[in-house]
Amino acid sequence: MKVSMAAPKTQTSRLGDLLDILEEHQQIDEALLRHQETLLGLEFTHALGALEELERRLSRHIRREEESLFGVYAGLGGFPQGAHPDVFREEHRRIERSLKDLLAGARGLTLGAGVRRAVILLLERETRFKTLLSGHAQREEQHLYARLKELWSAEKRP
Ligand SMILES: [Fe+2]
Ligand SMILES: [Fe+2]
Protein backbone atom coordinates (compact mmCIF):
# COMPACT_ATOMS: atom_id res chain seq x y z
CA MET A 1 0.00 0.00 0.00
CA LYS A 2 1.26 3.46 -0.87
CA VAL A 3 1.69 5.80 2.08
CA SER A 4 1.11 9.41 1.19
CA MET A 5 3.50 11.92 2.76
CA ALA A 6 2.65 15.50 3.56
CA ALA A 7 6.16 16.77 2.70
CA PRO A 8 6.28 19.19 -0.26
CA LYS A 9 7.63 17.82 -3.52
CA THR A 10 11.17 18.63 -4.56
CA GLN A 11 11.72 20.21 -7.97
CA THR A 12 13.32 16.96 -9.15
CA SER A 13 10.22 14.93 -8.34
CA ARG A 14 7.96 17.60 -9.88
CA LEU A 15 9.99 17.36 -13.08
CA GLY A 16 9.81 13.56 -12.91
CA ASP A 17 6.02 13.72 -12.48
CA LEU A 18 5.74 16.17 -15.39
CA LEU A 19 7.62 13.82 -17.74
CA ASP A 20 5.56 10.91 -16.47
CA ILE A 21 2.28 12.72 -17.20
CA LEU A 22 3.60 13.78 -20.62
CA GLU A 23 4.40 10.15 -21.44
CA GLU A 24 0.69 9.36 -21.01
CA HIS A 25 -0.07 11.21 -24.29
CA GLN A 26 1.58 8.35 -26.20
CA GLN A 27 -0.07 5.70 -24.02
CA ILE A 28 -3.48 7.21 -24.74
CA ASP A 29 -2.80 7.24 -28.52
CA GLU A 30 -1.68 3.63 -28.29
CA ALA A 31 -4.85 2.62 -26.36
CA LEU A 32 -7.02 4.22 -29.06
CA LEU A 33 -5.15 2.33 -31.78
CA ARG A 34 -5.60 -0.98 -29.90
CA HIS A 35 -9.33 -0.29 -29.73
CA GLN A 36 -9.47 0.48 -33.48
CA GLU A 37 -7.58 -2.70 -34.37
CA THR A 38 -10.17 -4.84 -32.58
CA LEU A 39 -12.98 -2.76 -34.04
CA LEU A 40 -11.71 -3.48 -37.55
CA GLY A 41 -11.73 -7.18 -36.71
CA LEU A 42 -15.39 -6.89 -35.60
CA GLU A 43 -14.33 -8.06 -32.12
CA PHE A 44 -16.85 -5.87 -30.35
CA THR A 45 -16.34 -7.09 -26.78
CA HIS A 46 -12.61 -6.43 -27.03
CA ALA A 47 -13.19 -3.15 -28.85
CA LEU A 48 -15.44 -1.93 -26.03
CA GLY A 49 -12.99 -3.16 -23.38
CA ALA A 50 -10.15 -1.28 -25.06
CA LEU A 51 -12.24 1.89 -25.28
CA GLU A 52 -13.11 1.62 -21.58
CA GLU A 53 -9.40 1.21 -20.85
CA LEU A 54 -8.78 4.37 -22.87
CA GLU A 55 -11.42 6.19 -20.80
CA ARG A 56 -9.70 5.16 -17.54
CA ARG A 57 -6.29 6.30 -18.82
CA LEU A 58 -7.65 9.56 -20.17
CA SER A 59 -9.59 10.49 -17.05
CA ARG A 60 -6.52 9.77 -14.87
CA HIS A 61 -4.38 11.88 -17.23
CA ILE A 62 -6.82 14.78 -17.18
CA ARG A 63 -7.08 14.64 -13.39
CA ARG A 64 -3.27 14.65 -13.02
CA GLU A 65 -2.93 17.63 -15.37
CA GLU A 66 -5.64 19.63 -13.66
CA GLU A 67 -4.48 18.82 -10.12
CA SER A 68 -0.68 18.95 -10.52
CA LEU A 69 0.05 21.22 -13.49
CA PHE A 70 -2.70 23.71 -14.29
CA GLY A 71 -2.38 25.71 -11.06
CA VAL A 72 1.34 26.44 -11.53
CA TYR A 73 0.90 27.02 -15.27
CA ALA A 74 -1.96 29.49 -14.64
CA GLY A 75 0.35 31.50 -12.38
CA LEU A 76 2.91 31.99 -15.16
CA GLY A 77 0.62 34.18 -17.29
CA GLY A 78 1.33 35.41 -20.84
CA PHE A 79 -0.54 32.68 -22.69
CA PRO A 80 -0.65 32.65 -26.49
CA GLN A 81 -3.88 31.99 -28.41
CA GLY A 82 -5.27 28.55 -27.65
CA ALA A 83 -2.94 27.86 -24.74
CA HIS A 84 -4.80 29.55 -21.86
CA PRO A 85 -5.44 27.14 -18.96
CA ASP A 86 -9.20 27.84 -19.26
CA VAL A 87 -9.05 26.75 -22.92
CA PHE A 88 -7.30 23.50 -21.95
CA ARG A 89 -9.85 22.89 -19.18
CA GLU A 90 -12.77 23.50 -21.55
CA GLU A 91 -11.21 21.12 -24.10
CA HIS A 92 -10.93 18.46 -21.38
CA ARG A 93 -14.71 18.66 -20.90
CA ARG A 94 -15.25 18.40 -24.69
CA ILE A 95 -12.90 15.40 -24.89
CA GLU A 96 -14.76 13.69 -22.03
CA ARG A 97 -18.16 14.30 -23.66
CA SER A 98 -16.91 13.12 -27.01
CA LEU A 99 -15.48 9.93 -25.51
CA LYS A 100 -18.79 9.22 -23.74
CA ASP A 101 -20.52 9.41 -27.15
CA LEU A 102 -17.97 7.01 -28.66
CA LEU A 103 -18.51 4.58 -25.78
CA ALA A 104 -22.27 4.69 -26.37
CA GLY A 105 -21.63 3.99 -30.06
CA ALA A 106 -19.33 1.06 -29.26
CA ARG A 107 -21.90 -0.41 -26.83
CA GLY A 108 -24.55 -0.30 -29.57
CA LEU A 109 -22.56 -2.45 -32.03
CA THR A 110 -23.87 -5.96 -32.65
CA LEU A 111 -23.11 -8.44 -35.42
CA GLY A 112 -25.73 -8.51 -38.14
CA ALA A 113 -26.81 -6.74 -41.32
CA GLY A 114 -25.30 -3.29 -41.71
CA VAL A 115 -22.65 -3.84 -39.09
CA ARG A 116 -19.73 -2.90 -41.37
CA ARG A 117 -21.32 0.46 -42.11
CA ALA A 118 -21.85 1.02 -38.40
CA VAL A 119 -18.14 0.32 -37.85
CA ILE A 120 -17.18 2.78 -40.62
CA LEU A 121 -19.38 5.46 -39.04
CA LEU A 122 -17.85 4.88 -35.62
CA LEU A 123 -14.32 5.03 -37.10
CA GLU A 124 -15.18 8.35 -38.75
CA ARG A 125 -16.36 9.75 -35.42
CA GLU A 126 -13.17 8.46 -33.84
CA THR A 127 -11.11 10.29 -36.46
CA ARG A 128 -12.77 13.55 -35.34
CA PHE A 129 -12.04 12.61 -31.72
CA LYS A 130 -8.38 11.98 -32.63
CA THR A 131 -8.15 15.41 -34.24
CA LEU A 132 -9.57 17.04 -31.11
CA LEU A 133 -7.25 15.04 -28.87
CA SER A 134 -4.06 15.55 -30.89
CA GLY A 135 -4.63 19.30 -31.36
CA HIS A 136 -5.10 19.63 -27.60
CA ALA A 137 -2.04 17.51 -26.75
CA GLN A 138 0.18 19.35 -29.25
CA ARG A 139 -0.67 22.75 -27.77
CA GLU A 140 -0.18 21.40 -24.25
CA GLU A 141 3.25 20.05 -25.20
CA GLN A 142 4.28 23.28 -26.95
CA HIS A 143 3.21 25.57 -24.13
CA LEU A 144 2.17 23.98 -20.82
CA TYR A 145 4.73 21.13 -20.76
CA ALA A 146 7.52 23.21 -22.33
CA ARG A 147 7.13 26.05 -19.83
CA LEU A 148 6.81 23.85 -16.74
CA LYS A 149 9.80 21.79 -17.86
CA GLU A 150 11.83 24.95 -18.23
CA LEU A 151 10.64 26.26 -14.84
CA TRP A 152 11.31 23.08 -12.89
CA SER A 153 14.63 22.35 -14.66
CA ALA A 154 15.90 25.86 -13.93
CA GLU A 155 14.88 25.73 -10.26
CA LYS A 156 16.66 22.40 -9.85
CA ARG A 157 20.02 23.93 -10.87
CA PRO A 158 22.10 25.52 -8.07
FE1 LIG B 1 -5.00 17.92 -21.37
FE1 LIG C 1 -2.54 16.07 -21.87
Side-chain angles (χ1 to χ4, degrees):
M1 195 170 71
K2 216 173 170 183
V3 180
S4 112
M5 306 286 283
K9 289 206 165 188
T10 62
Q11 299 306 332
T12 311
S13 74
R14 291 182 102 172
L15 188 61
D17 280 354
L18 179 79
L19 298 176
D20 190 57
I21 301 171
L22 174 60
E23 178 75 24
E24 290 174 341
H25 282 178
Q26 276 157 15
Q27 295 164 1
I28 288 163
D29 290 347
E30 186 57 34
L32 185 54
L33 271 176
R34 277 200 300 274
H35 154 75
Q36 293 190 315
E37 282 171 346
T38 51
L39 189 57
L40 271 181
L42 306 183
E43 303 166 54
F44 296 147
T45 307
H46 288 137
L48 180 59
L51 202 56
E52 286 169 343
E53 167 66 21
L54 169 69
E55 189 190 33
R56 281 190 292 275
R57 281 185 182 278
L58 196 58
S59 75
R60 177 172 189 268
H61 176 71
I62 285 175
R63 194 178 64 243
R64 292 182 83 192
E65 284 185 339
E66 293 188 357
E67 289 178 0
S68 318
L69 310 182
F70 279 19
V72 181
Y73 178 64
L76 297 176
F79 311 108
Q81 179 97 21
H84 193 283
D86 290 347
V87 171
F88 287 146
R89 211 177 281 274
E90 173 55 31
E91 283 173 344
H92 281 173
R93 304 291 85 80
R94 275 180 63 202
I95 289 166
E96 286 165 346
R97 283 196 300 273
S98 180
L99 185 53
K100 288 258 175 291
D101 289 344
L102 294 181
L103 276 159
R107 288 192 180 106
L109 288 173
T110 45
L111 285 172
V115 70
R116 289 174 197 276
R117 284 186 185 210
V119 167
I120 291 168
L121 288 176
L122 184 56
L123 284 168
E124 285 173 354
R125 287 163 61 194
E126 289 178 357
T127 298
R128 291 195 286 275
F129 176 73
K130 273 190 184 183
T131 304
L132 173 66
L133 199 60
S134 68
H136 172 78
Q138 268 173 25
R139 271 177 288 110
E140 280 184 339
E141 287 173 19
Q142 262 177 353
H143 303 288
L144 180 143
Y145 285 89
R147 290 186 72 188
L148 291 184
K149 193 175 170 191
E150 199 185 333
L151 177 73
W152 287 333
S153 302
E155 286 180 7
K156 196 175 65 148
R157 286 196 285 272

